[in-house]
Amino acid sequence: MDYIPHESLIFTNNVEEFCTIKVLRVYDSAVKKELDYPHELEIHLTGNCPSRCKECSYASRRKGQTIGLDKLEEIFSSIAGTNVHTVFFSGGGDPFAYPHWKELLELRDNYIPDKTIGLSTSLLMLPSDIDLSKIDFYQIHVSGYDKASYVDQISFNGFDRLYSNLLKVEESGAKYVLKLIFNDYVYEHFTQYLDFFMQFNATNLVFKCEQNFLENEEIVSDVKTENIYLDILNSHPIKEKYSIIIDNRIDKLFYKGDVNECHIVQKGLYCLIREDGAVYPCIASTYDADNSIGNINDNPLHTFLNRGNLDKYNNIMLKGACPLKACRHYRLNKTIQGEYVEGKDYSHIPIPDLL
């Protein structure tokens, strides 16, 4: 079985969540013209964030802007009744720095109760007046495992806030993933991180290899050669908590040929709206504001979402403006290019929560 190729270590009890055939199913639906709108809409609610994590690729691009509730209502009403499957809040800034979460979830209930809602957060902030279970899944980015490690990694002690807020998310019963950037610091403190994660019941753990996204440098090489981390895993009780460990640190897809086109963009499977209203057809294109295909403050969102005009999605790749390896769509494009077979039956795999 092939897996969605994050260059990472993934701890899970449900291997089907990472099965590449789910990506192929969504792509196949687009080939068959069964999808009229993007499968996933990603929204950067705000450019504000309480942290300056060392690994953050957005820290130098924050403008402190925030999407207004009126615009969110326009967005939600535009996708109501469409085949948009997932609305994912990320950043930019931290989504929980957005000041109107109670109202946001009320708009969600009014317009898009059938859509899957997820967010990516450092969890250093948490609104006190919302039902956390109304968010379907959380990607929680962890920087440290105690007070001292948080000071080292983000320059202040965010550990107490993370710990307390993580307990609240767990008590809500919502699905959550703990995600950590695999770098030299993590290598040196791997056992301590595993000890910390043992206290919680995350659905999955993702140790993702560090990469300089904007410069498109190679993945940190040490993680491919150091077997000591696998030795730690083999002796750590976390193996009893997660029955499956997927090791994609040297996944063959990354070292076999290149991707010369973005299938995700060409089929219009994804759309991103930044906090200033700018609309982008892929993740990595946000590194340059000139790559925007328009702005929801100037034109209605549906003019960008409808797949009837794919030139709006194609232009980024055709201009060669995208640092192709600098996003998760690169991994999915490698999967599609290497494995997709038109006419094959992919219907037995459920639609994924997130591209």
Side-chain angles (χ1 to χ4, degrees):
M1 181 182 292
D2 292 317
Y3 306 112
I4 295 174
H6 303 272
E7 284 200 311
S8 58
L9 290 174
I10 300 169
F11 298 67
T12 185
N13 288 312
N14 183 6
V15 73
E16 288 194 2
E17 290 190 32
F18 300 94
C19 182
T20 57
I21 200 169
K22 299 192 325 184
V23 175
L24 302 178
R25 182 187 182 191
V26 175
Y27 181 74
D28 188 55
S29 295
V31 170
K32 294 175 180 175
K33 302 187 184 304
E34 297 171 350
L35 300 179
D36 296 323
Y37 281 74
H39 182 79
E40 179 185 344
L41 176 62
E42 185 164 344
I43 301 174
H44 292 180
L45 291 171
T46 178
N48 297 317
C49 184
S51 178
R52 288 294 182 272
C53 300
K54 294 178 180 179
E55 67 271 13
C56 180
S57 62
Y58 279 102
S60 63
R61 292 181 277 164
R62 293 183 182 132
K63 300 177 181 178
Q65 293 170 286
T66 296
I67 291 180
L69 276 173
D70 58 335
K71 287 300 173 183
L72 272 183
E73 184 166 14
E74 286 182 24
I75 293 170
F76 289 178
S77 64
S78 293
I79 64 174
T82 70
N83 56 237
V84 173
H85 179 267
T86 300
V87 179
F88 186 60
F89 299 108
S90 69
D94 192 302
F96 274 148
Y98 188 66
H100 308 298
W101 264 97
K102 182 179 180 181
E103 295 84 354
L104 182 156
L105 291 176
E106 289 173 352
L107 290 174
R108 183 263 176 109
D109 289 343
N110 289 336
Y111 289 101
I112 52 171
D114 58 325
K115 309 300 182 191
T116 297
I117 302 294
L119 67 81
S120 174
T121 175
S122 66
L123 212 61
L124 299 185
M125 302 178 71
L126 192 64
S128 60
D129 58 349
I130 65 170
D131 181 352
L132 298 175
S133 66
K134 288 194 173 223
I135 299 169
D136 298 301
F137 66 93
Y138 297 77
Q139 288 185 4
I140 300 171
H141 292 257
V142 178
S143 293
Y145 54 86
D146 62 9
K147 295 179 181 180
S149 60
Y150 257 85
V151 172
D152 182 271
Q153 293 297 286
I154 67 172
S155 302
F156 69 92
N157 176 23
F159 178 76
D160 292 337
R161 280 192 257 171
L162 169 77
Y163 194 91
S164 145
N165 291 336
L166 189 50
L167 288 176
K168 292 175 184 176
V169 170
E170 185 161 292
E171 289 169 0
S172 76
K175 175 182 176 181
Y176 70 93
V177 174
L178 295 179
K179 187 174 181 180
L180 182 67
I181 299 299
F182 219 154
N183 55 24
D184 289 338
Y185 187 87
V186 175
Y187 302 162
E188 296 170 9
H189 301 86
F190 193 36
T191 298
Q192 291 95 321
Y193 278 103
L194 294 180
D195 290 344
F196 173 63
F197 289 153
M198 277 290 294
Q199 302 175 58
F200 302 99
N201 296 299
T203 306
N204 303 307
L205 305 178
V206 176
F207 288 73
K208 183 180 177 182
C209 296
E210 184 177 52
Q211 181 183 18
N212 185 330
F213 292 112
L214 295 183
E215 298 300 327
N216 195 25
E217 293 178 357
E218 292 297 321
I219 302 293
V220 173
S221 59
D222 287 348
V223 74
K224 301 186 184 75
T225 57
E226 293 285 349
N227 292 324
I228 185 173
Y229 307 108
L230 295 180
D231 293 339
I232 292 173
L233 284 177
N234 287 332
S235 60
H236 198 279
I238 203 162
K239 285 193 67 176
E240 304 302 319
K241 196 163 193 173
Y242 296 94
S243 58
I244 299 165
I245 299 175
I246 302 172
D247 186 356
N248 273 342
R249 294 175 299 164
I250 52 173
D251 191 281
K252 62 183 179 181
L253 281 176
F254 290 95
Y255 307 99
K256 184 179 180 181
D258 292 317
V259 174
N260 53 20
E261 59 184 336
C262 184
H263 304 284
I264 304 299
V265 168
Q266 289 178 347
K267 296 301 181 185
L269 292 175
Y270 170 92
C271 185
L272 185 146
I273 304 172
R274 289 214 64 189
E275 63 271 15
D276 60 357
V279 181
Y280 295 86
C282 73
I283 299 166
S285 61
T286 62
Y287 80 100
D288 187 340
D290 289 341
N291 291 335
S292 170
I293 58 177
N295 195 295
I296 60 172
N297 294 311
D298 302 322
N299 293 288
L301 178 61
H302 67 79
T303 62
F304 307 116
L305 291 182
N306 193 300
R307 290 181 60 246
N309 186 357
L310 286 179
D311 287 342
K312 290 180 180 292
Y313 294 95
N314 277 333
N315 65 350
I316 302 300
M317 291 305 300
L318 292 176
K319 288 191 302 183
C322 176
L324 190 58
K325 292 184 180 180
C327 71
R328 65 178 178 268
H329 289 163
Y330 173 76
R331 303 190 296 269
L332 302 186
N333 284 317
K334 292 283 281 189
T335 296
I336 291 167
Q337 182 171 289
E339 300 181 24
Y340 177 69
V341 178
E342 189 169 358
K344 185 175 179 178
D345 181 15
Y346 298 105
S347 60
H348 62 288
I349 299 296
I351 293 176
D353 287 335
L354 180 65
L355 278 180

